[in-house]
Amino acid sequence: MDFKYRIFDTHAHYDSEDYDLDRKEVFKELQENDVIGILDCASSYESIKAVDELTKEEAFIFGALGIHPENADELSEERLKEIKNKIQNNKKILAVGEIGLDYYWEENPDREIQKDTFRAMMNLAKELNLPVVIHDRDAHKDTLDIIKEFPEVKGVVHCFSGSVEFAKECIKEGYYIGFTGVVTFKNAKKILEVAKEIPIDRILVETDAPYMAPVPNRGKRNMSHYIKSIIEKIAQIREIEPKELNIIVNKNFSDLMGIEI
């Protein structure tokens, strides 16, 4: 019998306006193509309500609620309480996220504001005993420093873009490493080295849909079943069967989030 994938997309944004015209049809297509679950991650304050509602409308969608560094200046005490309340009243919210630091875009909020919001979100995760979904772009040192301030908090560094050494430092702190379609790109030498060198029980796979669709769908709107291309590429460099890697990454996510897949 041919192997049948069981895809759990550990990071996506189906609340995005990119799916506004055909969201229901997209969800039907995903489930027809072996997608058993999705972690939909909030980013802006506005998206928090949308993600919360999606988890209630769709049985196979789970959520993470948090403020992305690009929107770090949107957080207030009142909004922090609102996020906490939504998490506490929805068992399908599995994590605090997407949170972190992004120093790539000059128009992003001031770095100190980003750090303050990141710490507030990490404190929330600590208080609620939840894992975090971390965004780190061109901010490896500061990201790691703040991770170390919260040893009780575990999570994933999603869409990982650092070195093998940085990955191993994050893993020491109890974190998993999220791999996107970037591993299928021609210039992906550094991230492939990370995928090859880190412990296999710390690998997660994700789309970050609608962004960064893997080859052969690069340039298209991303979809969760495209994760098969990511699994196949990582399995190739780990010299194992895609079936085996699919089982391993699902167990990794299950272990981190405390849910049965």
Side-chain angles (χ1 to χ4, degrees):
M1 181 179 171
D2 289 338
F3 165 58
K4 184 174 173 63
Y5 278 96
R6 297 182 75 247
I7 298 297
F8 200 113
D9 186 351
T10 67
H11 192 113
H13 301 280
Y14 284 102
D15 57 291
S16 164
E17 61 185 17
D18 291 65
Y19 302 100
D20 281 354
L21 295 178
D22 61 348
R23 191 172 282 107
K24 290 288 183 186
E25 292 84 355
V26 165
F27 289 158
K28 186 172 183 287
E29 181 180 351
L30 297 182
Q31 291 176 90
E32 288 171 352
N33 282 277
D34 308 324
V35 177
I36 59 167
I38 294 163
L39 185 70
D40 202 85
C41 299
S43 51
S44 64
Y45 171 70
E46 186 180 327
S47 71
I48 285 165
K49 182 182 178 185
V51 173
D52 184 51
E53 289 177 351
L54 262 187
T55 68
K56 294 169 181 173
E57 292 166 3
E58 301 291 339
F60 77 125
I61 293 187
F62 299 82
L65 301 186
I67 299 289
H68 189 286
E70 288 183 13
N71 304 95
D73 52 4
E74 294 181 355
L75 189 65
S76 64
E77 282 298 321
E78 186 179 331
R79 288 177 171 183
L80 186 59
K81 286 177 186 172
E82 186 182 339
I83 294 167
K84 180 181 176 181
N85 184 59
K86 284 190 184 300
I87 293 172
Q88 289 178 314
N89 287 286
N90 185 348
K91 291 181 179 178
K92 291 182 73 186
I93 302 300
L94 304 180
V96 174
E98 175 179 355
I99 65 175
L101 302 172
D102 191 315
Y103 295 169
Y104 181 78
W105 299 107
E106 286 185 14
E107 61 267 30
N108 279 352
D110 180 83
R111 292 184 181 189
E112 292 308 311
I113 293 173
Q114 290 191 41
K115 289 178 191 175
D116 287 346
T117 295
F118 188 12
R119 287 188 175 100
M121 294 282 99
M122 292 290 279
N123 264 317
L124 181 62
K126 177 183 173 181
E127 183 183 347
L128 298 177
N129 193 29
L130 286 177
V132 292
V133 179
I134 290 181
H135 172 105
D136 158 46
R137 191 169 188 191
D138 289 0
H140 304 328
K141 182 186 182 300
D142 286 353
T143 298
L144 187 60
D145 286 347
I146 292 176
I147 282 173
K148 287 179 176 179
E149 290 175 21
F150 298 87
E152 310 87 350
V153 179
K154 310 303 175 194
V156 54
V157 182
H158 112 92
C159 190
F160 191 81
S161 60
S163 64
V164 171
E165 292 72 27
F166 178 56
K168 289 179 176 177
E169 285 293 319
C170 294
I171 289 166
K172 270 189 210 171
E173 300 302 317
Y175 282 73
Y176 291 72
I177 306 299
F179 294 91
T180 64
V182 173
V183 298
T184 68
F185 297 174
K186 282 183 180 177
N187 59 350
K189 187 177 176 185
K190 187 169 79 166
I191 194 63
L192 288 177
E193 188 182 348
V194 176
K196 185 174 183 179
E197 294 296 325
I198 67 169
I200 201 164
D201 64 358
R202 290 298 167 136
I203 290 176
L204 295 181
V205 291
E206 57 176 82
T207 58
D208 204 17
Y211 317 108
M212 291 187 300
V215 175
N217 294 292
R218 189 173 184 181
K220 296 180 184 177
R221 179 180 65 168
N222 208 350
M223 303 274 273
S224 292
H225 55 291
Y226 296 168
I227 272 185
K228 294 171 188 177
S229 299
I230 300 169
I231 289 174
E232 287 164 7
K233 184 65 178 183
I234 296 174
Q236 178 189 341
I237 64 171
R238 298 295 301 218
E239 298 181 342
I240 61 173
E241 290 298 317
K243 174 184 177 179
E244 185 181 351
L245 185 64
N246 187 190
I247 292 167
I248 289 168
V249 295
N250 283 358
K251 182 182 184 301
N252 294 348
F253 186 70
S254 178
D255 289 347
L256 174 60
M257 297 294 169
I259 60 167
E260 289 294 322
I261 295 179

